[in-house]
Amino acid sequence: MERPNWHALAVTDVLGRLKTDFTSGLTADEVGRRLSENGKNILSPPIKTPAWRRFLAQFENPLVIILLISATASAFAGRTTDAAVIVAVTIVNAVIGFIQEMKAQGAIDALAKMVRTECKVIRSGNKAIRIDAEELVAGDIVLLASGDQVPADLRLIESKNLLINESALTGESLPSEKNIEIVDEAAAVGDRKNLGFSGSLVIGGSGRGVVVETGDSTEMGKINALMQSTEDLNTPLMDRLEVFSKVFGLWVVGFGVLIFVIGTYRGGTKTDMFMAAVSAAVGAIPEGLPAVMTIVLAIGVKNMAARKAIIRKLPAVETLGSVTVICSDKTGTLTANEMTVQRVITTSAGYTADGIGFNPSLGKLHGPDDQDLASDPDLQRLLKGAILCNDSHLVYKPHGVEVEGDPTEGALLTVACKAGCNTDELRRTFYRLDVKPFDSALQIMSSLNHETDGSSTLWVKGSSEKILQMCDRQALGAKILPLDIKAVLAQVEELAGHGMRVLAFALLPMGDAKIIPDSFSPMIFLGLQAMIDPPRSEVRSSLEICKRAGIEVKMITGDHLATAMAIASDLGIGSPGVPGVEGRELAAGTPEQLSERAERSAVFARVAPEHKFKLVETLQRRHHVVAMTGDGVNDAPALKRADIGVAMGFSGTEVAKEASDMILVDDNFATLVRAVEEGRNVFNNLVKSMVYILPTNTAQGLVILFAVLFGLKELPVTPVQVLWVNLLTAFLSLPLAFEAMESGLMDNKPRHPSQPLIESSLVWRIVTVAILMTFVSFLIFWYETDVMGSKIAVARTSVVATMVAVELFYLFSARGLWAPMPGIEPTLNPVIWPCVLATVAAQLAFTYVPLFQNIMGSTPMDLEAWAIILAASAGVIPLIETLKRWTAPKVFAEVDELSPADD
């Protein structure tokens, strides 16, 4: 059944449709019937992948499948040691991957927790009872008071100055002033003033509402459904690795088949040639690469944690380096989420306030020529009115200052304190006689206060339009002059043009009145106060770095378009002359229009959760790698859909954190920029590891291929020895994970999503090292067997030592993708020398320790053999350094050194 537009129906129509009563509510029998029919007021839990399935998924990689087939073939051929070693390596890699996936968490559990609360309802008569919110049904009459969490979606049927904070749902920084009037059907969620939404918070006034939607049917339920229907996307790294695995897997299979065919054609037995093919496959597969990449990513996680960025999903480390667009929530992310008065305009002068937030000690109010604020009667009168016509309080706590009441009123008290006013003393001296709370229809609040001479004064604050309609005079010092409305309107227009919210103030002497009359004579205008949710102090420089790095920032908010455009213009977001887009335009446009707007515009206002989701999805279809920052419930689906979701740690809701890939502990946009830089460095180090590991695998396959082609009776290496070389190569690649950042990382555009994992110039480097290793290995094998007449065990041991020696020398050149080896500071990497020494010790044990000799088929070598091997292997350094100079991209041509990461 189609869901009614509850906000567009009159109260009587809503009550009639739900068959409930304003004063008595539902009967117990009716509640029971509706509960059994519609279920409890809870969100549907997610379907989770069982642990066993996640573990088995680790074996779905094509390269892993080939390894398992090779192990099975080795076992059938009687090579049980080879088979056991291959299986052991495969299982270890699978366990590492499984442990990382176990860290994944669900966002929907946090959503469900948010709706588990108690509420006060009227049932079976006019008596109010408190129940678990899970037991609510459509038609229940719910009572709301300050401090309550709205337990379900309500159509308000009574409102007394009701204020509800919906910022986590709508992105609106100001509380929503609620009423019971009918709203247009097309109104956005943030404009439905007659509805209370599940999970939002009552911060002032009281009210009564009838439950219209529960559980999955609420606005929060829609978010839940979006999140459940959102698939976790592969990161760019995962996509590239998947392509690499398939291509490399096909190459390995083809290579093994080629060896088998050539070998049998040249007269070799099928058994021998099959084992040769298995050896080539095992040698060609970089089985240690997944573990090495996991370690590289884990080190990136550790580095980011030190920079106050917590990574929840391991591949997200690298994804940051690929980001092309950041979709950033305005409230609390780009702005401080603390209303702050910045301009105070009296009838005689203008004042500017600095500092952000509600702590008066963090700023001051500055007047023209730094005049004494206490000596300006117009300013003192205006500030006095803002203090007395105010229901809120500043609460000083150990961690800072909080507002008890409306944030707008808190901002007025804060600026008064910055000017030196004692708010408590003023309120005691000029105590209140009567008050009319803020009325959203009238757009004013009125307070009647006692004066020291026994008279009373009426203080009024409200919208500039309403206050100006009520005034015909203005106070200027001790004089009362005619009001210059045009001048005031010009000031209002100028302030509003900067995205500020403007409040006006007025007073009227009331003689001995004790109550506020229904009507009174024209008032005396006092002045204006303009406030804004200001940008964070560190945001500007971070945005500038993003521009330099080729990353576009798009501001997405539930706020009004004019306010959003003003903030964006102030921060330099977007291109001059390009208009912003409202959420209703996103919903009404064609896919082509949405695509064009998503690419062209940088400001998106009045955006609902489904609009954010659609926007991120559209950008991804345009081949962008999208990061979404946010802190509210409304951000969760888009956070999950984005290539990387970035939640705020301090101000973020649990829902946003659970849906994210990364959490910024300090809510600092600058931390995100540093994380992007670290992500780019992680990708560099991942590529270094692959460019370092793959030549060994390629060379081992080529050695076996040429042995078959040349008709050698014995292979130069056995499958177990192949795995030994692969193990040491993977271990030697670990120092590359600790390499410092190459200079200029944030001066280049992001990698294009279609760019291959290893570019062509690096492929040629892999091939060059592999050919060198193959040539030197055959040279040593020939020297030992044909020249020296050594046994096959000695020759094989020498070949293994040659491959390890080439990798040892190559490591020092591989530390920089393009930076020449002499420019790389050796002390910047703390683990390179321990790894080198450990590898040397392991290779000596392989050669001389009996246990290793029995398992690996190795044998001792003399010093002459070592000298020849080291001399032949050292040639890799000048060869690769020359190749770097010839093939370095222009953007890296001038990079001749590595610089340490900034602390």
Side-chain angles (χ1 to χ4, degrees), residues 141-440:
I141 305 299
V142 177
L143 302 180
L144 297 175
S146 182
D148 288 346
Q149 186 172 314
V150 180
D153 282 3
L154 310 177
R155 170 59 163 94
L156 299 175
I157 57 179
E158 184 179 90
S159 176
K160 295 180 180 178
N161 306 309
L162 185 62
L163 294 175
I164 298 182
N165 185 345
E166 298 173 345
S167 62
L169 183 68
T170 66
E172 178 75 57
S173 56
L174 295 173
S176 180
E177 301 164 5
K178 296 298 183 177
N179 57 55
I180 64 171
E181 304 302 322
I182 296 175
V183 177
D184 184 74
E185 280 192 13
V189 171
D191 293 326
R192 298 173 189 175
K193 302 298 184 182
N194 58 10
L195 296 184
F197 297 107
S198 177
S200 56
L201 184 67
V202 179
I203 65 170
S206 61
R208 181 182 301 212
V210 56
V211 176
V212 292
E213 304 291 348
T214 60
D216 289 337
S217 298
T218 63
E219 288 298 321
M220 189 176 290
K222 289 181 181 180
I223 297 175
N224 184 29
L226 275 174
M227 293 179 63
Q228 292 211 47
S229 63
T230 303
E231 297 181 2
D232 289 323
L233 297 179
N234 277 353
T235 67
L237 175 64
M238 293 165 67
D239 287 335
R240 291 186 178 103
L241 285 176
E242 187 175 336
V243 172
F244 170 80
S245 296
K246 290 178 180 178
V247 173
F248 203 78
L250 290 174
W251 181 87
V252 168
V253 171
F255 193 65
V257 171
L258 178 65
I259 289 175
F260 180 80
V261 170
I262 292 175
T264 53
Y265 177 77
R266 292 182 61 85
T269 66
K270 291 184 178 180
T271 301
D272 289 342
M273 291 306 99
F274 184 78
M275 288 311 302
V278 168
S279 297
V282 172
I285 293 175
E287 62 276 345
L289 186 60
V292 170
M293 298 189 82
T294 299
I295 292 169
V296 173
L297 292 172
I299 292 169
V301 168
K302 181 180 177 182
N303 292 342
M304 287 188 183
R307 293 177 164 213
K308 300 183 179 180
I310 306 300
I311 299 296
R312 296 185 62 250
K313 299 172 184 177
L314 203 60
V317 181
E318 181 276 335
T319 309
L320 277 166
S322 305
V323 165
T324 60
V325 175
I326 296 175
C327 294
S328 177
D329 183 53
K330 177 185 75 68
T331 304
T333 305
L334 293 172
T335 66
N337 198 20
E338 295 181 321
M339 292 303 294
T340 303
V341 173
Q342 293 189 336
R343 299 284 299 280
V344 178
I345 309 295
T346 69
T347 53
S348 58
Y351 296 81
T352 302
D354 54 22
I356 294 175
F358 301 117
N359 191 337
S361 65
L362 299 180
K364 291 183 178 180
L365 185 65
H366 303 278
D369 302 323
D370 291 326
Q371 70 180 58
D372 181 20
L373 303 182
S375 65
D376 185 346
D378 297 325
L379 175 65
Q380 295 302 314
R381 200 160 32 221
L382 175 58
L383 295 176
K384 179 181 177 181
I387 294 169
L388 299 180
C389 190
N390 193 313
D391 286 332
S392 298
H393 300 272
L394 297 180
V395 181
Y396 292 81
K397 295 187 175 182
H399 62 271
V401 180
E402 295 181 359
V403 174
E404 189 178 277
D406 188 290
T408 297
E409 292 189 333
L412 298 175
L413 296 178
T414 301
V415 76
C417 292
K418 289 177 180 179
C421 296
N422 188 322
T423 58
D424 292 337
E425 184 178 340
L426 278 171
R427 285 174 167 175
R428 284 194 298 268
T429 303
F430 305 98
Y431 55 85
R432 181 176 289 175
L433 301 172
D434 193 16
V435 65
K436 286 189 176 180
F438 185 83
D439 188 311
S440 57

Side-chain angles (χ1 to χ4, degrees), residues 407-481:
T408 297
E409 292 189 333
L412 298 175
L413 296 178
T414 301
V415 76
C417 292
K418 289 177 180 179
C421 296
N422 188 322
T423 58
D424 292 337
E425 184 178 340
L426 278 171
R427 285 174 167 175
R428 284 194 298 268
T429 303
F430 305 98
Y431 55 85
R432 181 176 289 175
L433 301 172
D434 193 16
V435 65
K436 286 189 176 180
F438 185 83
D439 188 311
S440 57
L442 297 175
Q443 297 183 348
I444 61 169
M445 172 184 176
S446 306
S447 177
L448 185 66
N449 292 75
H450 166 79
E451 295 290 337
T452 54
D453 61 3
S455 64
S456 60
T457 300
L458 179 64
W459 304 89
V460 179
K461 78 167 186 285
S463 69
S464 55
E465 296 88 348
K466 188 64 178 179
I467 295 296
L468 288 175
Q469 290 175 12
M470 299 169 62
C471 298
D472 66 353
R473 295 163 291 163
Q474 64 184 33
L476 184 61
K479 300 177 182 179
I480 303 297
L481 303 175

